[in-house]
Amino acid sequence: MAIQRPKGTQDHLPDGSPKLGLDTRAAAFQFIRETARRVLERAGAQQIDTPIFEDAEVIKRGVGGSTDIVRKEMFTVYYFGDHGGFILRPEATAGVVRAYLQNGLKQLPAPLKLWLHGPMFRAENVQKGRLRQFHQVDYEVLGSTDPLVDAETISLLVDVVRALGLKQVKVKLGSIGDPEDREAYNAYLRDLFTPHVDRLSDDGRARLERNPMRILDGKAPGDQELIAELGVKPMLAFLGEAARAHFEQVRAHLDAWDVAYDIDPSIVRGLDYYRRTAWELHHEGVGAKSALCGGGRYDGLAQELGSKDPVPGIGWAFGMERLLLAMEADGVVIPESDGPLLYVAALDDSNVGYAATVAMTARQVARTEFAYKAMKPGNVFRDAERRRARFVALIGSDEVEQDTLTVKNLATGQQTTVPTRDLLAFLKGQLALTPTPLENA
Ligand code: AMP
């Protein structure tokens, strides 16, 4: 067997490949990226790209030293003579905020809306929907604490997934309050769980010590049983006045726009820099445990990364692979990528170069391919059909002499003689009649 790709990674393949799944179709990823681009850029977002590896400090501070991601799942980058201080990004937010601070993006009009797509890396236990290299679409808004921004950010997420054709999605909304609210909540949880510390898993005990809130989103079934038994009060019950008012306003905006959500008191975010609004997007087809998307406000992150001034921020990210599983469950069909509008072939060897020239000229207007060898007409049509071409231009000596092309519409069988100098106009006319998604984009 030839060398295989690393576990937990996938190849994204061209249409027509054998054994193609929705989540390995390059065209499906392209569809998600372009849909997200359309929705987000109409709302004023601009694309940003940051490096795929960052200084370890950016990741550790941005993701949090106590998280599984930093403790167990980091891919460290080594290269000759280096100290190993770089990490393949496991998520995008920390890099985006680092770039915002480093490049003085504060000068741009606020709130600044940024979006990004690309690969993320986590050394996870591989399972369905859980990969080591996966791909996210990420949206961040920097420079505003306005609850209207929170509501718009959530609403745009819903717009993107709806534009992708998803139906069974649910926004689960919560608030984790301000730092002092969380301190009060953690104190309450510490008092509540400490008498039962023996019943907690190792992981639960570690969380009780470091950050009791995170017990609530732990995975150990015993811990979850204890939580249910103790009748733990939700974080929402501990919101201070300011955070409560903010939450009410976010809800009022969402209600006014008919963006449906469920209040989920169990949403917790353990890190200090998170503030107030937090949410997840779930899908019935993918299972309750795995969110399609996570989002939240992170007003303390910029200072965590060394900024003197606070920079409020809020954003979300979804995994494209997990979204594709949901789209599959919802029966969403992503159209096949286009074949060429025109396929040009010569009937004899002496005209192959001429056919190539015609094809290259036609590319000014539309996707065009050509045959690299002379072929019999029957073979040309078979080949053109496999490539899903819409028109075939056959070039024989007569055509070259008369400066014409014999163009056949493969769907209707209709054949037209087109003067070569009119080819571009002919193709434009065909595109205007039935634009292909590619030309229409
Ligand atoms: P998180 O940063 O953990 O909130 O992840 C945001 C989103 O990225 C999740 O909701 C998933 O859609 C996706 N995601 C996270 N980890 C993985 C993974 N290992 N494989 C595939 N998708 C992932």
Side-chain angles (χ1 to χ4, degrees), residues 82-328:
D82 158 58
H83 48 84
F86 298 104
I87 289 167
L88 293 185
R89 64 182 183 193
E91 54 96 59
T93 311
V96 169
V97 175
R98 195 262 320 130
Y100 178 94
L101 296 171
Q102 184 167 5
N103 298 293
L105 301 191
K106 207 175 178 166
Q107 314 273 343
L108 298 177
L112 182 65
K113 299 171 178 173
L114 300 169
W115 83 283
L116 171 155
H117 65 78
M120 307 292 154
F121 305 86
R122 298 182 193 178
E124 303 229 42
N125 284 327
V126 177
Q127 33 180 298
K128 203 174 156 99
R130 196 169 288 283
L131 295 159
R132 291 184 176 165
Q133 175 175 335
F134 58 99
H135 299 77
Q136 283 186 342
V137 168
D138 180 83
Y139 173 72
E140 313 286 350
V141 187
L142 293 151
S144 171
T145 55
D146 194 324
L148 184 52
V149 168
D150 302 41
E152 182 193 29
T153 303
I154 296 168
S155 170
L156 277 172
L157 168 64
V158 173
D159 287 347
V160 172
V161 297
R162 289 242 184 281
L164 289 169
L166 282 184
K167 292 175 199 86
Q168 315 166 57
V169 283
K170 273 245 149 77
V171 176
K172 295 190 174 178
L173 182 66
S175 172
I176 49 168
D178 289 316
E180 56 276 18
D181 307 338
R182 272 203 313 274
E183 242 168 64
Y185 190 47
N186 268 330
Y188 157 77
L189 292 175
R190 204 169 278 122
D191 289 347
L192 191 68
F193 281 102
T194 301
H196 307 280
V197 62
D198 296 345
R199 288 182 57 194
L200 283 172
S201 66
D202 288 349
D203 191 36
R205 271 199 292 275
R207 289 175 187 218
L208 178 60
E209 199 131 295
R210 275 196 221 107
N211 196 343
M213 267 176 88
R214 294 209 48 235
I215 297 174
L216 304 183
D217 66 357
K219 291 185 189 102
D223 294 0
Q224 288 300 330
E225 244 168 58
L226 183 62
I227 292 163
E229 225 177 275
L230 293 177
V232 179
K233 284 193 221 162
M235 174 72 232
L236 283 176
F238 287 74
L239 294 191
E241 213 168 292
R244 178 170 305 282
H246 185 99
F247 191 51
E248 292 309 323
Q249 287 178 57
V250 174
R251 292 187 55 183
H253 291 305
L254 292 174
D255 292 341
W257 302 332
D258 275 337
V259 177
Y261 59 87
D262 292 334
I263 298 291
D264 187 342
S266 71
I267 288 188
V268 287
R269 293 273 195 282
L271 302 182
D272 287 347
Y273 63 74
Y274 283 116
R275 300 284 143 83
R276 301 185 175 183
T277 317
W279 69 93
E280 288 172 356
L281 192 77
H282 286 261
H283 184 274
E284 285 164 24
V286 180
K289 273 277 159 211
S290 49
L292 280 190
C293 176
R297 181 167 271 292
Y298 50 79
D299 296 347
L301 175 56
Q303 283 167 306
E304 190 71 39
L305 294 179
S307 168
K308 274 204 243 62
D309 303 319
V311 179
I314 183 167
W316 49 253
F318 64 71
M320 297 196 218
E321 287 84 355
R322 222 172 268 175
L323 214 72
L324 284 166
L325 292 176
M327 287 162 75
E328 209 157 33

Side-chain angles (χ1 to χ4, degrees), residues 329-351:
D330 271 1
V332 176
V333 177
I334 297 174
E336 279 218 359
S337 46
D338 289 327
L341 181 68
L342 183 67
Y343 186 57
V344 188
L347 300 174
D348 38 69
D349 289 340
S350 59
N351 291 322

